[in-house]
Amino acid sequence: MSTLVYITHPQVQVDASVPVPEWSLSDIGRARAIAMLDQPWVGPIRRIVSSAERKAVETAEILARHLRLAVEVRQWMHENDRSATGFLPPPEFEAVADQFFANPYSSIRGWERAIDAQNRIVSEVDTVLATRQAGDIAVVGHGGVGTLLLLSLSGREISREADQPPGGGNYFAYDIGARQVIHGWRPIDG
């Protein structure tokens, strides 16, 4: 059984003056990514694919150094495009994210539509799975598109019900051969 492990980057250094895709991991996020390396599900990983956003690449590189693997970066695995609003304070962000998931066929405040973000991440993961190799595959990305992927793999409609817990740094597992979700979100550091 080969497994796809979708990992979301942990906590980031929030800086409203820096574009969100360029944010890096915070000290807490980096510590959590390092703690992830001791988890039993990490050992079987033989391929690491990452979003091109800095926080995802940093998480993937920590994993890659530990496993002595290269990181494949895929530009289209990015988080849902929120560049129309840029940084939003947490309460406002959560309200807009609620609308994003509740109205998947509409652009909320100029954000990429949820259905388009879901189609994009599913297509990217399908491309990765089409070039399978032996062993488990880690895809390092983001909570929004990760949730959209999890919903698609589970055969569920777009909603926020499957959203990862706050703060990031979670993972879910998917049995590639059986084409079924093994488990939903769990913290990367146990």
Side-chain angles (χ1 to χ4, degrees):
M1 171 178 85
S2 290
T3 302
L4 168 73
V5 181
Y6 188 93
I7 303 166
T8 64
H9 64 80
Q11 288 84 347
V12 297
Q13 186 65 47
V14 176
D15 184 344
S17 68
V18 173
V20 175
E22 296 174 27
W23 286 355
S24 63
L25 294 177
S26 67
D27 291 342
I28 292 170
R30 195 166 285 101
R32 290 191 65 214
I34 292 168
M36 165 182 67
L37 304 177
D38 293 329
Q39 300 304 309
W41 53 268
V42 168
I45 293 170
R46 296 293 173 263
R47 185 176 178 197
I48 301 170
V49 182
S50 177
S51 156
E53 292 191 32
R54 183 174 176 186
K55 52 200 169 269
V57 171
E58 288 177 358
T59 305
E61 287 174 342
I62 289 168
L63 183 61
R65 275 192 300 277
H66 175 72
L67 295 172
R68 297 189 173 129
L69 297 171
V71 176
E72 300 170 42
V73 176
R74 296 193 59 92
Q75 295 293 328
W76 296 106
M77 283 191 166
H78 61 80
E79 182 60 289
N80 60 304
D81 184 352
R82 305 186 302 252
S83 58
T85 59
F87 172 78
L88 294 174
E92 185 179 0
F93 172 82
E94 292 301 327
V96 177
D98 285 343
Q99 293 174 35
F100 169 81
F101 281 100
N103 302 286
Y105 294 92
S106 298
S107 173
I108 309 301
R109 294 183 57 184
W111 283 16
E112 178 181 22
R113 298 181 321 157
I115 190 65
D116 296 332
Q118 184 180 57
N119 289 336
R120 177 175 47 77
I121 192 66
V122 168
S123 176
E124 284 293 298
V125 169
D126 284 347
T127 299
V128 167
L129 295 181
T131 57
R132 266 195 290 162
Q133 303 161 353
D136 293 353
I137 302 169
V139 173
V140 183
H142 312 277
V145 292
T147 296
L148 294 169
L149 176 64
L150 177 58
L151 289 165
S152 177
L153 295 174
S154 303
R156 298 187 309 194
E157 295 294 318
I158 293 176
S159 75
R160 205 163 184 191
E161 75 178 42
D163 202 2
Q164 72 167 343
N170 297 286
Y171 77 104
F172 70 80
Y174 175 75
D175 183 321
I176 298 167
R179 301 185 61 82
Q180 67 183 29
V181 173
I182 299 167
H183 64 75
W185 296 116
R186 294 181 180 172
I188 59 171
D189 48 354

